[in-house]
Amino acid sequence: MEAIIPILIVFFIIVTLLWGIRIVHQQEALIVERLGKYNRTLYAGLRFIIPYLENIRAKVSLKEQVMNIEKQDVITKDNAIVSVDAVAYYQIVSPEKAVYNIENLEYAIIQTVQTNLRDIIGGMTLDEVLQSREKINMKIRETLQGVADDWGIIVKRTEVKEIKPPKNIVDAMTKQMEAERNKRAMITEAEGKKQAEVLEAEGYKLAKYQEAEAIERLGQAQANAVKALKEIIDNSEIASQFLIGDRFVSSLKEIANSNNSKIIVLPPNVENIFKILNENKK
């Protein structure tokens, strides 16, 4: 019996020492209390506590946390009911504050976000809510950051995941967007037709201008030819008649070479033209 007592004492000492050894993992913290009062915070590594006098009050994760905010119905400034849910990203930087300054940190964050969503969206119209997602996120983040120091956290970001208006409003918005698309399509088509008409008019104008220019050049060429013949023949009337006859003969050749031409009817005074041509050839 006397031999058992020392063994028990040694066993008790070993167990006590082992109980005082704590291994704290990376990105974790242990809150240590001594006789019921906060004493210190243990971070990653091999740590020791005094058995029986000290105990671990809480284990806190220092990783970034994701908090889902459940969907809730909110009334906008123009009395439209929208369903909104969100998500918040935060990280504990002061474990002792997160444990002692707030009873339930996650519940407090959820309630703060939901309350601010109701306040922010309640002061905006439906159109503003649908167009101001980033503005809503920023306001929620600012509000959370105001209490974050007391809770020992930092708010990384908050995001509104979904803003869902009532079905009747969604249907009305869909019809409005469809009408806007049809309106834009009609405007685009009308502008296209107008542009085509302008281009056609410009083309017609250019063609007429080129035609007039060609006629002018042809007339100038004929005048030059008459002038040249006049210098050779020394008779402007005969020179003009010669050019007319030459063009007449050229036209007869074109008609004769045409596949559709069968009968060529010459005017009664055609011999005069040939007579002029023959005389000038001599």
Side-chain angles (χ1 to χ4, degrees):
M1 185 66 181
E2 293 180 357
I4 296 177
I5 295 176
I7 296 175
L8 291 176
I9 294 174
V10 172
F11 179 77
F12 177 77
I13 293 174
I14 293 173
V15 171
T16 301
L17 292 175
L18 291 176
W19 186 32
I21 298 173
R22 291 291 185 270
I23 297 177
V24 185
H25 298 285
Q26 187 67 31
Q27 290 296 88
E28 286 185 352
L30 300 180
I31 303 298
V32 179
E33 290 182 347
R34 180 178 295 175
L35 299 177
K37 183 179 179 182
Y38 170 75
N39 182 263
R40 64 189 182 279
T41 301
L42 303 180
Y43 293 96
L46 181 63
R47 300 289 181 260
F48 300 92
I49 63 173
I50 301 174
Y52 310 114
L53 295 179
E54 296 178 344
N55 69 296
I56 303 300
R57 170 68 171 81
K59 182 171 70 172
V60 180
S61 174
L62 303 180
K63 299 177 183 178
E64 184 174 338
Q65 304 290 322
V66 181
M67 178 70 65
N68 284 315
I69 312 301
E70 295 182 358
K71 187 176 294 185
Q72 62 174 337
D73 293 334
V74 182
I75 301 176
T76 63
K77 187 177 180 180
D78 50 354
N79 295 324
I81 301 177
V82 294
S83 296
V84 185
D85 59 353
V87 60
Y89 298 83
Y90 71 95
Q91 185 176 13
I92 296 176
V93 292
S94 179
E96 58 275 10
K97 288 184 178 180
V99 172
Y100 292 106
N101 289 5
I102 187 73
E103 179 66 27
N104 188 325
L105 179 61
E106 293 185 357
Y107 182 76
I109 293 174
I110 292 175
Q111 292 301 311
T112 301
V113 173
Q114 288 184 335
T115 301
N116 277 273
L117 277 175
R118 288 193 294 268
D119 292 341
I120 295 169
I121 294 177
M124 304 169 68
T125 63
L126 179 60
D127 290 339
E128 292 174 340
V129 171
L130 297 177
Q131 297 174 9
S132 306
R133 186 184 296 263
E134 184 57 34
K135 181 179 178 181
I136 296 172
N137 292 335
M138 183 179 64
K139 287 186 176 182
I140 295 174
R141 186 164 56 250
E142 289 175 353
T143 303
L144 277 177
Q145 202 59 54
V147 295
D149 185 62
D150 291 338
W151 295 347
I153 65 173
I154 57 173
V155 180
K156 296 296 185 71
R157 62 188 183 276
T158 57
E159 296 179 4
V160 175
K161 293 196 296 184
E162 184 181 17
I163 300 175
K164 187 176 181 180
K167 186 177 183 303
N168 60 333
I169 295 180
V170 173
D171 294 340
M173 293 172 64
T174 302
K175 292 179 180 179
Q176 182 180 1
M177 288 188 293
E178 184 177 355
E180 288 292 333
R181 284 195 297 267
N182 293 335
K183 179 181 177 181
R184 286 195 297 268
M186 293 175 64
I187 292 174
T188 302
E189 183 179 358
E191 289 179 349
K193 289 182 179 179
K194 180 180 178 181
Q195 187 175 4
E197 291 175 356
V198 170
L199 292 175
E200 184 179 357
E202 290 291 335
Y204 180 78
K205 179 180 178 182
L206 180 60
K208 288 298 182 181
Y209 175 78
Q210 292 175 345
E211 182 181 355
E213 187 177 17
I215 293 174
E216 182 182 357
R217 290 181 178 178
L218 179 61
Q220 186 65 37
Q222 290 178 346
N224 293 336
V226 171
K227 183 178 179 181
L229 286 173
K230 180 182 177 183
E231 292 176 355
I232 298 172
I233 301 174
D234 196 20
N235 190 324
S236 60
E237 183 177 355
I238 294 176
S240 299
Q241 292 177 355
F242 180 83
L243 287 175
I244 294 172
D246 184 59
R247 293 191 62 188
F248 181 74
V249 172
S250 298
S251 298
L252 288 179
K253 287 181 180 180
E254 293 179 0
I255 295 173
N257 293 330
S258 175
N259 294 328
N260 297 327
S261 301
K262 301 298 182 181
I263 299 175
I264 301 175
V265 180
L266 298 176
N269 59 348
V270 71
E271 65 275 3
N272 295 332
I273 299 174
F274 293 117
K275 182 178 179 182
I276 294 171
L277 295 174
N278 290 328
E279 289 176 358
N280 284 281
K281 287 181 179 180
K282 293 177 181 179

